[in-house]
Amino acid sequence: MTSVWLQRFYYVFGFLALVLLLLVITCAEISIVLCYFQLCNEDYNWWWRAFLTSGSSGLYLFGYSIMYFHSQLEIDGFVPTLMYFTYMAVFSTLFFLVTGTIGFYSCQKFVWAIYAAIKVD
């Protein structure tokens, strides 16, 4: 967040791409594992849980932005504080939607794969 809010440049875009790949893989794996546990308990309504499982990282991001605001930033005044939390709420919501979508589509592909393997005679 330092590169965004304190006007510092970020040069290591290869590392950023690797972290993005790890984020996508982690969201997919966690959603698939929790969806598998849910299907093992015969609860077949997995759609929203798959979305919310990986999308909850957006809530973590917003919580981290609150901690970052109190520990690193020196923002005084109501309007700059309101702008900061508005921007972070929008960014956290978008992050929630993107990671939730990754989790949903990975679970959908997983469920289709395991149900396609069932042989009914």
Side-chain angles (χ1 to χ4, degrees), residues 92-107:
S92 297
T93 303
L94 290 175
F95 193 74
F96 180 88
L97 292 174
V98 167
T99 55
T101 304
I102 291 168
F104 173 76
Y105 281 126
S106 63
C107 278

Side-chain angles (χ1 to χ4, degrees), residues 43-55:
D43 184 7
Y44 301 106
N45 298 320
W46 56 268
W47 305 280
W48 283 108
R49 188 168 299 181
F51 183 78
L52 294 174
T53 297
S54 58

Side-chain angles (χ1 to χ4, degrees), residues 55-93:
S56 62
S57 57
L59 298 174
Y60 174 80
L61 179 66
F62 190 71
Y64 180 76
S65 69
I66 293 171
M67 191 212 48
Y68 186 79
F69 177 78
H70 290 294
S71 65
Q72 297 292 324
L73 296 179
E74 297 175 1
I75 296 177
D76 293 329
F78 176 73
V79 174
T81 303
L82 181 66
M83 283 182 54
Y84 171 77
F85 283 114
T86 303
Y87 281 133
M88 290 311 299
V90 168
F91 184 70
S92 297
T93 303

Side-chain angles (χ1 to χ4, degrees), residues 15-27:
F15 181 71
L16 185 64
L18 179 67
V19 170
L20 178 66
L21 179 68
L22 286 173
L23 173 73
V24 169
I25 291 171
T26 303
C27 286

